[in-house]
């Protein structure tokens, strides 16, 4: 049995929330459940359109998919979403160049399938550790992998928000997929970089293994990110396998 909650917050410095989330523990088409987090980008407030179009397109495509594999459903749905965002950006001048990050997850029995594009993240948390499952598609992450930056430098690098992949910016889209075994008493965190740019993984782990139910913990994460400056929109989805 899964319990899930979602919180999205404008933060302390932005005038518009360009994040968009969707959660359901009920079946969507052939998926047993579906959780989505998107962080839009683009001028003239186009980012909020990109994230909304992408998420709504994925939900609709998942409902209609004939596939039974979560990975195949995600592949089909994200390709459709990418095309929808890209075409809208071509049609409307004010939306030119818009795009969105995306992290998607679906749980089946004792496993989770995750798809991601961009730098929104999926974590698995238990009492002992916090594990980042997804890998950021960002300039600083590439520099770290090449040895050009140290991990501690990347966290506060001025170009840390430059992403190298996004849904809707190019019809040729590469999607990363992850499949992980899960167990009871783990907490699964999906979030935008408005959380992870403000809080260290250790701070997130402390909150998620502290007192309170997942609703309280989700709100505590957002509050902590805002207390650190709230430089961006903050979106958090928590899922607990009870």
């Amino acid at each position: 049995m899964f319990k899930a909650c979602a919180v999205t917050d404008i933060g302390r410095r932005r005038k518009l929330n360009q994040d968009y989330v969707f959660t359901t523990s009920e079946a969507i088409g052939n998926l047993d459940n579906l959780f989505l987090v998107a962080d839009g980008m683009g001028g003239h407030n186009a980012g909020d359109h990109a994230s909304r179009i992408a998420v709504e397109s994925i939900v609709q495509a998942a409902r209609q998919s004939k596939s039974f594999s979560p990975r195949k459903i995600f592949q089909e749905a994200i390709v459709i979403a990418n095309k929808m965002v890209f075409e809208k950006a071509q049609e409307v001048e004010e939306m030119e160049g818009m795009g969105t990050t995306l992290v998607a997850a679906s749980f089946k029995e004792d496993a989770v399938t995750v798809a991601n594009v961009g730098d929104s993240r999926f974590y698995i948390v238990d009492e002992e550790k916090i594990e980042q499952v997804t890998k950021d598609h960002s300039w600083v992450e590439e520099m770290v992998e090449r040895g050009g930056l140290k991990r501690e430098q990347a966290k506060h690098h001025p170009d840390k928000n430059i992403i190298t992949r996004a849904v809707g910016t190019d019809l040729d889209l590469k999607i990363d997929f992850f499949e992980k075994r899960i167990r009871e008493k783990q907490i699964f965190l999906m979030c935008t970089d408005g959380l992870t740019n403000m809080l260290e993984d250790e701070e997130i782990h402390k909150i998620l293994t502290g007192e309170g139910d997942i609703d309280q913990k989700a709100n505590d994460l957002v509050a902590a990110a805002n207390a650190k400056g709230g430089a961006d929109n903050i979106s958090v989805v928590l899922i607990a396998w009870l």
Side-chain angles (χ1 to χ4, degrees):
M1 175 183 172
F2 291 100
K3 181 180 180 182
C5 68
V7 180
T8 184
D9 187 87
I10 197 170
R12 296 179 63 183
R13 300 187 194 171
R14 296 297 176 91
K15 296 181 179 179
L16 182 73
N17 192 344
Q18 296 188 317
D19 293 353
Y20 202 88
V21 302
F22 175 89
T23 68
T24 180
S25 297
E26 304 298 322
I28 292 280
N30 291 325
L31 293 175
D32 288 356
N33 44 69
L34 179 60
F35 305 94
L36 302 167
V37 173
D39 181 357
M41 61 182 193
H44 301 284
N45 300 332
D48 62 321
H49 293 284
S51 57
R52 177 183 55 79
I53 292 167
V55 168
E56 290 178 352
S57 298
I58 290 168
V59 172
Q60 181 177 0
R63 282 197 180 104
Q64 297 173 347
S65 176
K66 303 300 182 185
S67 299
F68 286 91
S69 160
R71 177 171 176 152
K72 288 183 179 178
I73 295 171
F74 280 159
Q75 175 74 42
E76 295 167 2
I78 296 170
V79 167
I80 291 170
N82 186 61
K83 185 171 182 287
M84 295 290 286
V85 176
F86 183 85
E87 290 180 348
K88 179 61 73 172
Q90 304 304 304
E91 293 170 7
V92 182
E93 184 177 350
E94 290 79 8
M95 297 182 183
E96 183 180 358
M98 72 176 178
T100 183
T101 71
L102 176 77
V103 59
S106 185
F107 297 80
K108 189 176 182 66
E109 297 174 349
D110 62 346
V112 60
T113 300
V114 180
N116 92 291
V117 179
D119 62 357
S120 294
R121 295 178 179 178
F122 184 97
Y123 289 90
I124 298 177
V125 180
D126 60 26
E127 287 292 334
E128 287 75 38
K129 66 183 185 301
I130 176 169
E131 175 191 0
Q132 181 182 334
V133 174
T134 52
K135 184 177 79 170
D136 294 350
H137 304 133
S138 66
W139 182 85
V140 294
E141 184 65 29
E142 289 186 2
M143 290 301 102
V144 169
E145 290 188 354
R146 293 174 186 172
L149 275 178
K150 294 183 179 179
R151 177 66 62 188
E152 54 269 23
Q153 294 174 312
K155 180 77 175 179
H156 304 289
H157 195 281
D159 294 328
K160 66 180 180 295
N161 292 324
I162 298 176
I163 61 174
T164 54
R165 290 189 216 170
V167 174
T169 56
D170 194 316
L171 286 177
D172 184 17
L173 179 67
K174 184 178 179 182
I175 308 161
D176 283 358
F177 295 95
F178 306 87
E179 294 181 3
K180 301 285 288 187
R181 291 289 175 185
I182 62 173
R183 63 177 187 273
E184 293 180 6
K185 297 186 179 179
Q186 289 177 322
I187 295 178
F188 309 94
L189 165 65
M190 302 167 70
C191 61
T192 57
D193 66 347
L195 180 76
T196 53
N197 282 341
M198 295 293 103
L199 301 180
E200 301 292 341
D201 283 2
E202 293 77 14
E203 295 174 289
I204 295 171
H205 183 259
K206 184 176 180 180
I207 290 171
L208 292 182
T209 54
E211 296 298 320
D213 60 15
I214 63 168
D215 298 273
Q216 182 63 54
K217 290 174 180 178
N219 283 295
D220 287 348
L221 286 172
V222 172
N226 275 324
K228 286 288 189 74
D232 199 352
N233 308 143
I234 309 156
S235 291
V236 170
V237 171
L238 290 180
I239 307 118
W241 189 18
L242 305 176

